[in-house]
Amino acid sequence: MSHDPDQGPSATLPLNNIARVMRNAVAPLDKTVTQISDAAKTCVQECATEFISFVASEANDRCRADGRKAITGDDLLQALEGLGFENYVEPLRHYLAIYRSQKSDGREEGVGSSQRDDNF
């Protein structure tokens, strides 16, 4: 696999986005939690970035083996399955179908705005 863990800080997810997801995930569970430490946010940021890089690298390897240059949503799902994350594939496949349906209807709000089908 061609995964490069030394991609540098420019390859990390935005910390504000990570913090918002963490707050939204914790708030319904415990109304008394008012703050999430910077160390916790940074840790989740690093883990999420690494996970995405790992899956994308696997999908890229599969594309190269097939002689393709663009990674699709289906490639990412196959990579997740190949890496042992089978439990996540069906919910994500469902979301991808919704994304494609909305995109074909001309409604792209809330699902991104890729110019070429579902290539990333």
Side-chain angles (χ1 to χ4, degrees):
M1 188 175 334
S2 61
H3 176 67
D4 182 9
D6 299 320
Q7 290 176 334
S10 64
T12 61
L13 296 170
L15 193 57
N16 288 338
N17 293 0
I18 296 294
R20 184 180 64 246
V21 170
M22 291 175 73
R23 278 192 305 272
N24 291 342
V26 171
L29 301 176
D30 185 3
K31 298 293 184 185
T32 63
V33 175
T34 57
Q35 293 184 346
I36 299 172
S37 74
D38 290 341
K41 293 175 199 173
T42 301
C43 179
V44 171
Q45 177 190 39
E46 291 173 7
C47 291
T49 299
E50 183 68 21
F51 178 75
I52 290 169
S53 296
F54 185 55
V55 174
S57 178
E58 180 70 18
N60 187 47
D61 290 347
R62 291 170 183 264
C63 285
R64 285 186 180 180
D66 291 345
R68 296 181 292 116
K69 293 183 180 180
I71 297 173
T72 67
D74 291 320
D75 294 323
L76 293 169
L77 294 176
Q78 288 177 354
L80 283 168
E81 194 167 24
L83 293 168
F85 295 99
E86 300 88 3
N87 294 341
Y88 298 96
V89 172
E90 281 310 310
L92 289 171
R93 191 177 315 278
H94 176 73
Y95 177 80
L96 183 57
I98 291 170
Y99 170 82
R100 289 175 173 161
S101 173
Q102 288 179 349
K103 189 161 185 174
S104 68
D105 292 345
R107 300 174 315 179
E108 295 185 24
E109 65 278 350
V111 293
S113 58
S114 175
Q115 294 293 319
R116 294 175 37 195
D117 190 24
D118 62 328
N119 295 340
F120 297 99

